[in-house]
Amino acid sequence: MTARFPTYFVSHGGGPWPWMKDQFGPAYDKLEASLVDMRRQVGERPKAVLVVTSHWEAPGFITSSSAAPGMIYDYGGFPPHTYQISYPAPGQPSLAERTAALLAASGLTSGVDPQRGFDHGTFSMLYPVYPEADMPVVQLSIRQGYDPLEHILAGRALAPLRDEGVLIIGSGLSYHNLRQFGAAGREASHAFDDWLRHAMLDLDPLERSAALLRWSEAPGARAAHPREDHLMPLMVALGAAEREPAALAYHEDDFFGSLAVSSFRFGAAAA
């Protein structure tokens, strides 16, 4: 019998980091360990993974519907070999259509894109979890305008997928200010991460959702997220498990020496 899977919001790290361990050293060890452990927490093998990626924005919620997605190297300034990376996981057109239908049934603008390939918010994050790259993967865009309620509503609409063998992962970053990625971002990242962990872990579900709707009022919020694209996948992951408890899936106080970053699980891990 297929389990009801938890959902995740993952702080996915920068660029093609799993393929740059010589350059980054131990900087990503904790994140990698948390992603490897995600597989254990999920337990039963999912039928497919739906990744809500912060690296794909569209006028509506669009799903990738190719049966054999290509690669999108949406980064710059990295070594040549990182532009030859292959993560050959199959797509699943039926899941793309099912996702779009659920969103449309909830009154949300949706559609499918048969050309969209895997961006680094998907392949870099999934490689430590499923290095075999044999798990069917479908991507879901975030919606332009970054309305937090729309993204929570999208998560609510997609909640039935959890009972259909689909693992939902929101891929973003709890701190995403590339102009202050280091010591200059210490104060804002810690202030915002303290607020975010309190909101996700300590508030009851109704208060938790309400807090996310007002995220921009949090300490350090706009310094942590000048553009909130990397926060929107959190809204979807939470919305899909809105009344279930949250757990801290990953946390560092000194990411790249200074930054506080976190990932969260919504719903119970496998026994």
Side-chain angles (χ1 to χ4, degrees):
M1 181 176 178
T2 300
R4 169 177 286 181
F5 290 117
T7 70
Y8 286 85
F9 169 70
V10 170
S11 286
H12 63 224
W17 62 266
W19 291 269
M20 294 181 62
K21 290 185 177 181
D22 288 347
Q23 291 87 348
F24 285 128
Y28 283 101
D29 286 357
K30 290 181 181 178
L31 175 59
E32 183 175 31
S34 75
L35 292 169
V36 170
D37 193 55
M38 182 191 297
R39 184 169 181 159
R40 179 197 62 80
Q41 293 178 22
V42 169
E44 181 180 337
R45 177 183 166 91
K47 294 179 180 177
V49 180
L50 179 66
V51 178
V52 187
T53 172
S54 55
H55 287 271
W56 183 15
E57 300 178 27
F61 292 102
I62 310 300
T63 51
S64 60
S65 60
S66 172
M71 302 291 289
I72 299 175
Y73 305 113
D74 53 340
Y75 40 74
F78 289 96
H81 76 272
T82 64
Y83 299 90
Q84 303 297 322
I85 291 167
S86 176
Y87 188 75
Q92 192 172 90
S94 60
L95 174 58
E97 295 286 354
R98 170 71 171 147
T99 299
L102 286 170
L103 292 164
S106 294
L108 298 167
T109 303
S110 66
V112 299
D113 182 343
Q115 304 302 319
R116 181 74 184 186
F118 295 142
D119 60 58
H120 85 264
T122 296
F123 67 79
S124 290
M125 176 272 300
L126 279 181
Y127 180 72
V129 188
Y130 297 112
E132 305 89 348
D134 59 355
M135 183 76 67
V137 178
V138 169
Q139 293 178 129
L140 174 66
S141 73
I142 59 173
R143 186 168 183 178
Q144 293 169 353
Y146 309 142
D147 183 334
L149 179 57
E150 282 189 338
H151 288 80
I152 290 176
L153 292 174
R156 292 175 186 170
L158 298 177
L161 295 177
R162 299 174 57 210
D163 294 316
E164 299 171 14
V166 178
L167 175 63
I168 298 173
I169 303 174
S171 179
L173 267 173
S174 62
Y175 175 86
H176 195 250
N177 184 341
L178 298 183
R179 293 181 181 274
Q180 296 184 335
F181 206 83
R186 177 188 295 274
E187 183 176 350
S189 74
H190 282 258
F192 185 71
D193 201 80
D194 286 348
W195 174 86
L196 188 62
R197 282 182 287 127
H198 167 68
M200 295 302 97
L201 304 175
D202 299 334
L203 300 183
D204 70 42
L206 290 178
E207 292 176 323
R208 188 174 66 189
S209 295
L212 272 190
L213 294 177
R214 302 189 306 275
W215 74 270
S216 62
E217 301 171 13
R222 277 300 174 189
H225 291 279
R227 293 175 71 246
E228 57 266 41
D229 50 334
H230 276 62
L231 198 59
M232 290 302 104
L234 170 61
M235 314 292 177
V236 182
L238 177 141
E242 196 168 13
R243 297 187 178 275
E244 297 179 46
L248 191 64
Y250 158 72
H251 175 72
E252 289 194 59
D253 282 323
D254 57 353
F255 187 58
F256 279 84
S258 304
L259 303 174
V261 290
S262 294
S263 301
F264 300 94
R265 185 188 75 237
F266 301 96

